[in-house]
Amino acid sequence: MIKGLSDRIKIARLGKIHLGEKKKSQKSDNLYPSATDYFVVHADTNTPKEIADKFHKIYGDRPKELNISFPLDDPEKFFPQWLKRYANGTLVCKGDGEKAIETEPKTGERKEIQCKYKNCPYYQKKQCREIGNLQFYVSEIPGGVFQIDTSSYNSILEVNTAIKLIKEQNNGHIANIPLKLTLRPLQVIVNGYPKTIYVLNLYKPLNDNIKPNKEPVKDSAIEPDEGPEMPDADDLPEDLFPTDIDNELEGLPDFEPISDIDDPFSESPINAKYGQLKVTHVKTLKNNNTGEIFYGLTCVDNKNIQHNLVSQDNVEQLTGKSLIEYELEPVNDHLEKLISYKILEDVQEA
């Protein structure tokens, strides 16, 4: 027996569950991922045919709800989240928003660098993504975990929130608790138009007879703060990073955000009257009767229609910014008052 090796347990990954299906472009033979409102499992290099067949036998071809449980209490192990950049199918940079490990593809040399996150040119070009790899037992299929890759802001946020709440309600535990994983519809605005997307939703059912998967059992020789090792989650998430995609795909329905489809930062909750508004000018104005200072904003929406707003707050810093989740109050037929807002750069949706 080798100390530190022979006493370790590593959980196997049985396969991957996808959040969409690949379709062929009508203008070319290129495949692009298209979102679905159901979970997708198919035989491929990540999922053996026998596992895919077993999944379909239990859940059918278009399941919208899965019975799951987590093998550990530590979400950092079963739901790791990183900023990741891939090149030619290889992970070349992995960061946490402060530090990153960058790999030189030709030599394999690795070095620690500063992670500039949203200021990184690769992130701005959408070559780097926030990616969460959710790994869990499907209760009816023992023997290992399934994995879902997502770069959806809303999915990551919802699952993180649910995990925290479930742990708080169960004395800090979540391992082996029967849970439901579903896809929940969410209304958003894309390029000024309403759209329904589907995000991951996790919850603990009130009454459920599902028996949680107990494999693998924790070895008594392992220290309490240790546990089974999860499968490597850094392999290329092919649904997020197609190897070849044409500019012709711009504007098509998006899957989990992909390189040339401009969706991650153009979506906002549906409580935005005109969709996304870009502030082109801000002027300082004065009421001649009262002497009160206020500010006038000239904005354009995604259809290039101009809107005139006023604000009692100093909003000069909004010039050139795009507003989302804003609330307006009518002043007259041609003017509206800006009550509240969020700036696009501060919020990531979908």
Side-chain angles (χ1 to χ4, degrees):
M1 302 293 287
I2 303 174
K3 189 67 176 178
L5 173 60
S6 302
D7 55 353
R8 299 302 302 161
I9 298 173
K10 185 170 183 178
I11 301 173
R13 188 174 73 186
L14 297 181
K16 282 194 175 185
I17 297 175
H18 308 278
L19 302 177
E21 296 179 329
K22 290 187 177 181
K23 295 183 179 180
K24 182 175 290 188
S25 168
Q26 295 181 352
K27 296 182 180 180
S28 69
D29 291 331
N30 291 333
L31 295 175
Y32 66 94
S34 176
T36 58
D37 62 351
Y38 54 87
F39 296 106
V40 177
V41 173
H42 49 75
D44 56 19
T45 55
N46 292 301
T47 309
K49 185 177 184 302
E50 60 183 276
I51 295 296
D53 290 345
K54 190 170 185 178
F55 181 92
H56 293 148
K57 184 176 181 181
I58 295 169
Y59 284 103
D61 292 332
R62 298 188 173 188
K64 298 185 178 183
E65 180 180 270
L66 303 177
N67 301 318
I68 75 162
S69 62
F70 295 117
L72 305 167
D73 284 325
D74 186 358
E76 291 189 6
K77 293 183 178 179
F78 65 74
F79 192 28
Q81 298 149 44
W82 297 93
L83 291 155
K84 294 181 180 180
R85 175 166 62 92
Y86 292 83
N88 298 321
T90 301
L91 180 67
V92 294
C93 193
K94 178 178 177 180
D96 62 5
E98 294 182 351
K99 297 180 180 180
I101 299 297
E102 186 178 50
T103 303
E104 169 54 49
K106 294 181 179 179
T107 64
E109 179 184 357
R110 304 174 69 191
K111 61 180 179 180
E112 183 176 297
I113 61 172
Q114 178 188 4
C115 180
K116 298 180 179 179
Y117 197 0
K118 296 177 184 178
N119 294 321
C120 173
Y122 291 107
Y123 182 89
Q124 293 171 353
K125 294 176 183 177
K126 301 178 184 177
Q127 296 174 5
C128 173
R129 298 285 186 178
E130 301 99 332
I131 297 179
N133 307 107
L134 187 65
Q135 298 183 328
F136 52 87
Y137 294 132
V138 171
S139 299
E140 300 89 346
I141 309 177
V145 295
F146 284 81
Q147 178 173 317
I148 289 178
D149 300 322
T150 178
S151 64
S152 164
Y153 172 86
N154 282 305
S155 288
I156 292 174
L157 179 61
E158 290 222 4
V159 173
N160 281 339
T161 302
I163 289 171
K164 183 177 180 180
L165 291 175
I166 293 169
K167 293 188 69 175
E168 288 178 350
Q169 295 166 1
N170 292 274
N171 298 317
H173 297 290
I174 196 170
N176 294 319
I177 294 176
L179 304 171
K180 295 281 189 179
L181 184 66
T182 68
L183 284 170
R184 182 176 71 84
L186 178 67
Q187 287 289 319
V188 296
I189 294 292
V190 181
N191 296 326
Y193 295 95
K195 174 185 177 181
T196 299
I197 62 172
Y198 292 86
V199 300
L200 293 172
N201 178 241
L202 176 72
Y203 69 95
K204 180 183 178 183
L206 296 178
N207 296 301
D208 208 309
N209 295 321
I210 300 171
K211 294 181 179 180
N213 192 331
K214 297 293 184 180
E215 297 183 6
V217 178
K218 193 173 181 180
D219 194 303
S220 59
I222 300 176
E223 294 296 329
D225 60 345
E226 297 282 334
E229 297 177 15
M230 300 300 293
D232 179 21
D234 284 338
D235 53 312
L236 177 69
E238 70 279 2
D239 295 340
L240 311 181
F241 295 85
T243 55
D244 187 20
I245 184 165
D246 279 344
N247 291 329
E248 67 180 271
L249 298 183
E250 290 191 5
L252 288 173
D254 60 84
F255 180 42
E256 297 290 338
I258 55 179
S259 299
D260 291 332
I261 296 181
D262 187 16
D263 67 33
F265 309 106
S266 61
E267 300 181 1
S268 63
I270 202 166
N271 60 337
K273 183 177 180 180
Y274 303 114
Q276 184 178 310
L277 283 179
K278 184 172 182 179
V279 181
T280 58
H281 299 91
V282 176
K283 292 184 178 180
T284 303
L285 305 172
K286 183 178 181 179
N287 188 317
N288 292 329
N289 295 324
T290 65
E292 180 185 6
I293 299 295
F294 60 101
Y295 298 85
L297 300 86
T298 303
C299 308
V300 292
D301 60 22
N302 289 324
K303 299 179 183 179
N304 209 31
I305 298 175
Q306 182 173 304
H307 303 274
N308 296 315
L309 313 177
V310 293
S311 174
Q312 292 178 322
D313 300 322
N314 188 340
V315 290
E316 293 176 320
Q317 75 281 2
L318 295 183
T319 303
K321 304 289 187 181
S322 294
L323 306 182
I324 59 176
E325 285 192 69
Y326 50 82
E327 182 181 357
L328 303 177
E329 183 178 282
V331 176
N332 53 43
D333 292 341
H334 306 288
L335 196 64
E336 294 175 287
K337 183 177 181 180
L338 182 64
I339 304 300
S340 64
Y341 61 87
K342 285 187 179 180
I343 302 173
L344 180 61
E345 66 183 16
D346 294 332
V347 176
Q348 299 176 40
E349 291 291 344

